[in-house]
mmCIF file of all heavy atoms in Angstrom:
data_model
loop_
_atom_site.group_PDB
_atom_site.id
_atom_site.type_symbol
_atom_site.label_atom_id
_atom_site.label_comp_id
_atom_site.label_asym_id
_atom_site.label_seq_id
_atom_site.Cartn_x
_atom_site.Cartn_y
_atom_site.Cartn_z
ATOM 1 N N VAL A 173 15.177 117.882 220.481
ATOM 2 C CA VAL A 173 14.318 117.023 221.298
ATOM 3 C C VAL A 173 13.407 116.205 220.560
ATOM 4 O O VAL A 173 13.282 114.954 220.879
ATOM 5 C CB VAL A 173 13.719 117.806 222.413
ATOM 6 C CG1 VAL A 173 14.696 118.270 223.497
ATOM 7 C CG2 VAL A 173 12.935 118.957 221.869
ATOM 8 N N SER A 191 -6.265 123.708 229.290
ATOM 9 C CA SER A 191 -5.265 124.366 230.118
ATOM 10 C C SER A 191 -5.417 123.975 231.509
ATOM 11 O O SER A 191 -6.614 123.784 232.026
ATOM 12 C CB SER A 191 -5.267 125.886 229.847
ATOM 13 O OG SER A 191 -6.520 126.362 230.289
ATOM 14 N N TYR A 200 3.161 104.304 228.996
ATOM 15 C CA TYR A 200 3.662 102.993 228.438
ATOM 16 C C TYR A 200 2.466 102.142 228.133
ATOM 17 O O TYR A 200 1.730 101.770 229.170
ATOM 18 C CB TYR A 200 4.670 102.320 229.435
ATOM 19 C CG TYR A 200 5.217 101.078 228.890
ATOM 20 C CD1 TYR A 200 6.204 101.055 227.905
ATOM 21 C CD2 TYR A 200 4.805 99.857 229.427
ATOM 22 C CE1 TYR A 200 6.720 99.914 227.448
ATOM 23 C CE2 TYR A 200 5.350 98.600 229.010
ATOM 24 C CZ TYR A 200 6.333 98.639 227.882
ATOM 25 O OH TYR A 200 6.828 97.487 227.615
ATOM 26 N N LEU A 209 1.992 116.034 224.689
ATOM 27 C CA LEU A 209 2.372 117.385 224.909
ATOM 28 C C LEU A 209 1.012 118.230 224.859
ATOM 29 O O LEU A 209 0.371 118.278 223.811
ATOM 30 C CB LEU A 209 3.318 117.977 224.056
ATOM 31 C CG LEU A 209 4.775 117.488 224.126
ATOM 32 C CD1 LEU A 209 5.341 117.641 225.565
ATOM 33 C CD2 LEU A 209 4.948 115.988 223.688
ATOM 34 N N GLY A 214 0.344 125.770 226.517
ATOM 35 C CA GLY A 214 1.513 126.508 225.846
ATOM 36 C C GLY A 214 2.630 125.580 225.379
ATOM 37 O O GLY A 214 3.674 126.121 224.951
ATOM 38 N N SER A 219 8.511 125.663 220.797
ATOM 39 C CA SER A 219 8.362 126.865 221.734
ATOM 40 C C SER A 219 9.249 126.486 222.960
ATOM 41 O O SER A 219 9.612 125.356 223.275
ATOM 42 C CB SER A 219 6.943 126.995 222.284
ATOM 43 O OG SER A 219 6.529 125.911 223.113
ATOM 44 N N THR A 225 9.210 120.897 228.178
ATOM 45 C CA THR A 225 8.319 119.818 228.606
ATOM 46 C C THR A 225 8.659 118.506 227.964
ATOM 47 O O THR A 225 8.720 117.536 228.634
ATOM 48 C CB THR A 225 6.870 120.208 228.288
ATOM 49 O OG1 THR A 225 6.533 121.446 229.027
ATOM 50 C CG2 THR A 225 5.910 119.058 228.656
ATOM 51 N N TYR A 253 -1.982 111.753 247.587
ATOM 52 C CA TYR A 253 -1.468 112.196 248.789
ATOM 53 C C TYR A 253 -0.393 111.316 249.421
ATOM 54 O O TYR A 253 0.593 111.787 250.048
ATOM 55 C CB TYR A 253 -2.619 112.244 249.805
ATOM 56 C CG TYR A 253 -2.249 112.662 251.239
ATOM 57 C CD1 TYR A 253 -2.104 114.061 251.520
ATOM 58 C CD2 TYR A 253 -2.089 111.725 252.221
ATOM 59 C CE1 TYR A 253 -1.729 114.431 252.868
ATOM 60 C CE2 TYR A 253 -1.734 112.053 253.572
ATOM 61 C CZ TYR A 253 -1.531 113.412 253.790
ATOM 62 O OH TYR A 253 -1.184 113.847 255.101
ATOM 63 N N ARG A 264 11.512 116.446 240.032
ATOM 64 C CA ARG A 264 12.694 117.346 240.026
ATOM 65 C C ARG A 264 13.845 116.629 239.335
ATOM 66 O O ARG A 264 14.609 117.389 238.632
ATOM 67 C CB ARG A 264 13.162 117.536 241.553
ATOM 68 C CG ARG A 264 12.264 118.522 242.196
ATOM 69 C CD ARG A 264 12.925 118.985 243.649
ATOM 70 N NE ARG A 264 13.019 117.819 244.501
ATOM 71 C CZ ARG A 264 12.119 117.544 245.353
ATOM 72 N NH1 ARG A 264 10.935 118.126 245.405
ATOM 73 N NH2 ARG A 264 12.232 116.473 246.204
ATOM 74 N N MET A 275 20.763 122.571 227.904
ATOM 75 C CA MET A 275 21.979 123.487 228.130
ATOM 76 C C MET A 275 23.091 122.632 228.684
ATOM 77 O O MET A 275 23.480 122.817 229.760
ATOM 78 C CB MET A 275 21.438 124.556 229.104
ATOM 79 C CG MET A 275 20.428 125.487 228.535
ATOM 80 S SD MET A 275 19.647 126.617 229.795
ATOM 81 C CE MET A 275 18.469 125.468 230.632
ATOM 82 N N SER A 278 29.263 122.058 228.838
ATOM 83 C CA SER A 278 30.414 122.481 228.130
ATOM 84 C C SER A 278 30.126 123.545 227.137
ATOM 85 O O SER A 278 30.824 124.558 227.024
ATOM 86 C CB SER A 278 31.027 121.269 227.377
ATOM 87 O OG SER A 278 30.062 120.702 226.546
ATOM 88 N N PHE A 289 28.678 139.610 233.698
ATOM 89 C CA PHE A 289 27.182 139.271 233.905
ATOM 90 C C PHE A 289 26.364 140.498 233.849
ATOM 91 O O PHE A 289 26.721 141.534 234.383
ATOM 92 C CB PHE A 289 26.980 138.550 235.229
ATOM 93 C CG PHE A 289 25.662 138.110 235.396
ATOM 94 C CD1 PHE A 289 25.114 136.996 234.743
ATOM 95 C CD2 PHE A 289 24.704 138.999 236.146
ATOM 96 C CE1 PHE A 289 23.748 136.672 234.863
ATOM 97 C CE2 PHE A 289 23.392 138.627 236.261
ATOM 98 C CZ PHE A 289 22.870 137.520 235.647
ATOM 99 N N ILE A 294 21.593 136.766 230.242
ATOM 100 C CA ILE A 294 20.571 135.720 230.527
ATOM 101 C C ILE A 294 19.632 135.710 229.241
ATOM 102 O O ILE A 294 19.302 134.692 228.720
ATOM 103 C CB ILE A 294 19.755 135.979 231.821
ATOM 104 C CG1 ILE A 294 20.697 135.776 232.946
ATOM 105 C CG2 ILE A 294 18.522 135.016 231.880
ATOM 106 C CD1 ILE A 294 21.143 134.342 233.295
ATOM 107 N N MET A 321 21.125 135.334 242.524
ATOM 108 C CA MET A 321 19.938 134.734 243.297
ATOM 109 C C MET A 321 18.757 135.000 242.444
ATOM 110 O O MET A 321 18.628 136.012 241.759
ATOM 111 C CB MET A 321 19.805 135.441 244.693
ATOM 112 C CG MET A 321 18.555 134.988 245.380
ATOM 113 S SD MET A 321 18.337 135.760 247.003
ATOM 114 C CE MET A 321 19.462 134.787 248.034
ATOM 115 N N ASN A 369 11.237 145.692 234.939
ATOM 116 C CA ASN A 369 11.698 145.202 233.747
ATOM 117 C C ASN A 369 12.918 145.873 233.155
ATOM 118 O O ASN A 369 13.159 145.902 231.858
ATOM 119 C CB ASN A 369 10.548 145.108 232.545
ATOM 120 C CG ASN A 369 10.324 143.705 232.073
ATOM 121 O OD1 ASN A 369 11.206 142.922 232.090
ATOM 122 N ND2 ASN A 369 9.116 143.404 231.655
ATOM 123 N N VAL A 374 19.989 148.047 243.965
ATOM 124 C CA VAL A 374 19.464 147.896 245.300
ATOM 125 C C VAL A 374 20.603 147.678 246.326
ATOM 126 O O VAL A 374 21.742 147.532 245.872
ATOM 127 C CB VAL A 374 18.464 146.732 245.259
ATOM 128 C CG1 VAL A 374 17.254 146.915 244.425
ATOM 129 C CG2 VAL A 374 19.205 145.439 244.802
ATOM 130 N N TRP A 375 20.257 147.678 247.555
ATOM 131 C CA TRP A 375 21.281 147.513 248.619
ATOM 132 C C TRP A 375 21.042 146.247 249.310
ATOM 133 O O TRP A 375 19.916 145.692 249.508
ATOM 134 C CB TRP A 375 21.072 148.626 249.576
ATOM 135 C CG TRP A 375 21.288 150.111 248.938
ATOM 136 C CD1 TRP A 375 20.175 150.869 248.590
ATOM 137 C CD2 TRP A 375 22.463 150.632 248.413
ATOM 138 N NE1 TRP A 375 20.676 151.991 248.060
ATOM 139 C CE2 TRP A 375 22.050 151.887 247.918
ATOM 140 C CE3 TRP A 375 23.755 150.306 248.455
ATOM 141 C CZ2 TRP A 375 22.927 152.766 247.217
ATOM 142 C CZ3 TRP A 375 24.643 151.121 247.925
ATOM 143 C CH2 TRP A 375 24.222 152.365 247.348
ATOM 144 N N ASN A 393 22.502 144.508 241.767
ATOM 145 C CA ASN A 393 21.606 144.952 240.766
ATOM 146 C C ASN A 393 20.408 143.943 240.861
ATOM 147 O O ASN A 393 20.606 142.688 241.185
ATOM 148 C CB ASN A 393 22.204 144.728 239.357
ATOM 149 C CG ASN A 393 23.259 145.892 239.077
ATOM 150 O OD1 ASN A 393 22.881 147.015 239.340
ATOM 151 N ND2 ASN A 393 24.389 145.535 238.645
ATOM 152 N N GLU A 394 19.208 144.503 240.540
ATOM 153 C CA GLU A 394 18.074 143.592 240.534
ATOM 154 C C GLU A 394 17.300 143.863 239.202
ATOM 155 O O GLU A 394 17.005 145.059 238.791
ATOM 156 C CB GLU A 394 17.156 143.936 241.667
ATOM 157 C CG GLU A 394 15.776 143.088 241.654
ATOM 158 C CD GLU A 394 14.790 143.576 242.704
ATOM 159 O OE1 GLU A 394 15.157 144.391 243.546
ATOM 160 O OE2 GLU A 394 13.732 143.043 242.731
ATOM 161 N N PRO A 398 7.780 141.177 235.863
ATOM 162 C CA PRO A 398 6.474 141.030 236.441
ATOM 163 C C PRO A 398 5.477 140.394 235.470
ATOM 164 O O PRO A 398 5.652 140.603 234.286
ATOM 165 C CB PRO A 398 6.131 142.486 236.816
ATOM 166 C CG PRO A 398 6.691 143.320 235.596
ATOM 167 C CD PRO A 398 7.988 142.593 235.236
#
Side-chain angles (χ1 to χ4, degrees):
V173 284
S191 61
Y200 182 73
L209 289 305
S219 69
T225 297
Y253 180 79
R264 285 194 296 272
M275 295 168 280
S278 59
F289 182 80
I294 295 292
M321 176 181 280
N369 237 332
V374 292
W375 304 103
N393 288 311
E394 177 186 356

